[in-house]
Amino acid sequence: MVGYWDEMFALERRVDELMRSFFGTRTTPFFKEFRPTTDVFDRKGDLVVRVELPGLDVGKDVKVSIEDGALLIKGERRQREETREDEYYRMETSYGSFTRRVPLPEGIDEDTIMAEYKDGVLEVVVPKAATQIEAPKVKEIPVHVAKPIKAA
């Protein structure tokens, strides 16, 4: 299951990069939401969610909760000082609200979940959750090759 989410997050990052390269970071409605880099991995049977949140006041700007069987990390990166866009030579920093949702296996003990913020990185540890994640079932679909169309 973790491998599935790794692939989904990687795909999401590639789409974000493509859209940013085409539209830029500030000129499109696709980027109203700030998307912090998020890693989800197994550490000795514990599910670890690591989110890069440099410069945020985690006490005011970030909320970690469990909702509908998922770990929810919500927050907002605010621009601290007002600078007009025409004063920038380059603007790559994204601002705005974000939500990161990580599905959790059933039966975890929510009271044992720990969150720590250090050096701009929020790390949430869900003890023993990685051992409860079932690997996704894989069914291979045969691909039939169509006959080429002959040119006239």
Side-chain angles (χ1 to χ4, degrees), residues 4 12 27 36 41 44-45 56 67 81-82 84 94 110 120 143 145:
Y4 169 79
E12 180 181 42
T27 58
F41 59 95
K44 298 180 184 175
L56 269 72
E67 186 176 309
E81 57 188 54
E82 191 61 38
R84 294 189 336 255
S94 300
E110 295 176 3
V143 177
V145 180

Side-chain angles (χ1 to χ4, degrees), residues 148-152:
I149 302 173
K150 294 183 181 181

Side-chain angles (χ1 to χ4, degrees), residues 109-122:
D109 184 359
E110 295 176 3
D111 294 330
T112 62
I113 297 173
M114 299 168 285
E116 181 180 35
Y117 182 75
K118 182 179 178 184
D119 298 331
V121 178
L122 173 67

Side-chain angles (χ1 to χ4, degrees), residues 4-144:
Y4 169 79
W5 287 110
D6 290 341
E7 290 178 23
M8 291 302 293
F9 290 141
L11 177 62
E12 180 181 42
R13 276 195 298 271
R14 287 195 300 266
V15 169
D16 283 349
E17 289 167 5
L18 176 66
M19 298 302 282
R20 285 178 194 272
S21 69
F22 186 72
F23 290 109
T25 59
R26 304 287 286 181
T27 58
T28 175
F30 296 112
F31 295 101
K32 288 183 180 177
E33 191 170 41
F34 164 56
R35 293 280 196 170
T37 303
T38 304
D39 295 330
V40 180
F41 59 95
D42 175 351
R43 182 194 300 140
K44 298 180 184 175
D46 296 340
L47 184 68
V48 180
V49 180
R50 189 177 288 158
V51 186
E52 293 182 9
L53 300 171
L56 269 72
D57 181 345
V58 176
K60 291 193 300 188
D61 298 332
V62 178
K63 179 183 174 187
V64 180
S65 61
I66 302 291
E67 186 176 309
D68 295 328
L71 175 69
L72 232 53
I73 302 171
K74 293 181 178 182
E76 184 174 2
R77 177 186 275 174
R78 296 180 178 95
Q79 196 164 2
R80 300 286 184 217
E81 57 188 54
E82 191 61 38
T83 305
R84 294 189 336 255
E85 237 177 270
D86 63 346
E87 294 176 332
Y88 277 93
Y89 294 107
R90 172 178 241 143
M91 180 182 281
E92 294 183 352
T93 304
S94 300
Y95 296 97
S97 62
F98 68 90
T99 301
R100 304 304 283 183
R101 184 179 194 281
V102 179
L104 296 174
E106 291 183 26
I108 62 161
D109 184 359
E110 295 176 3
D111 294 330
T112 62
I113 297 173
M114 299 168 285
E116 181 180 35
Y117 182 75
K118 182 179 178 184
D119 298 331
V121 178
L122 173 67
E123 185 173 281
V124 181
V125 178
V126 185
K128 301 178 184 170
T131 59
Q132 298 177 25
I133 296 174
E134 294 180 22
K137 295 177 183 174
V138 178
K139 180 179 188 306
E140 194 168 324
I141 308 296
V143 177
H144 299 282

